[in-house]
Amino acid sequence: MSYADIFVYGWSLNLLMFFINLTIGIRSMNSKTKEQLLQENKILSRLKFEFDKYYPYRKYETIISYLMPFTAFFRVCYRLLEMKMFFSKNIEATLFDYMIFKYENDINIAKNKLD
């Protein structure tokens, strides 16, 4: 197997993970009303603003991970495993609950590192 083949497989897996992410997001949005989505957006926007103070380059890190072969694949697989464990412990939880948990957890980790 040549390096070109490895890169093509890696980017193909990254693309697959991008579409899996997109599908999960669209399915969770379709199950909510407009008012619920607006309320959730307001809460997540506040958390994202605080998150961006501690991790200002996270957006670029995500873009780069999709450009490097296999990186996004492993990153998204880890997130999906983390989500599965979260939902197995919190049976009635939604994707919104997981996102709040993840943002708050990452913010608390950053605050603890600064202290």
Side-chain angles (χ1 to χ4, degrees):
M1 184 180 293
S2 69
Y3 286 113
D5 292 338
I6 293 170
F7 279 95
V8 168
Y9 288 134
W11 284 320
S12 298
L13 288 172
N14 286 354
L15 187 63
L16 172 69
M17 287 300 154
F18 175 78
F19 285 121
I20 288 173
N21 261 342
L22 190 64
T23 303
I24 290 170
I26 289 172
R27 287 179 65 196
S28 69
M29 284 185 347
N30 285 340
S31 65
K32 309 267 178 161
T33 65
K34 183 179 177 182
E35 291 78 24
Q36 289 173 321
L37 288 174
L38 289 173
Q39 182 183 10
E40 289 176 0
N41 185 39
K42 192 181 298 183
I43 295 167
L44 290 174
S45 295
R46 180 184 51 81
L47 286 170
K48 176 131 176 47
F49 179 75
E50 187 176 357
F51 179 82
D52 286 341
K53 285 193 290 187
Y54 296 106
Y55 301 100
Y57 302 111
R58 188 65 159 245
K59 176 181 7 176
Y60 303 117
E61 177 187 318
T62 303
I63 291 169
I64 289 170
S65 74
Y66 278 103
L67 296 177
M68 294 176 62
F70 297 105
T71 308
F73 172 74
F74 292 122
R75 184 178 174 181
V76 173
C77 284
Y78 175 76
R79 290 282 185 237
L80 291 174
L81 180 64
E82 191 177 42
M83 284 172 60
K84 181 172 175 33
M85 290 187 302
F86 177 81
F87 290 131
S88 68
K89 294 226 179 218
N90 305 296
I91 302 211
E92 295 296 320
T94 62
L95 185 60
F96 174 70
D97 298 324
Y98 171 74
M99 291 171 72
I100 288 177
F101 164 76
K102 193 63 184 153
Y103 272 129
E104 288 177 347
N105 189 34
D106 288 346
I107 289 168
N108 288 334
I109 290 171
K111 285 180 181 178
N112 290 336
K113 283 183 181 179
L114 292 177
D115 291 340

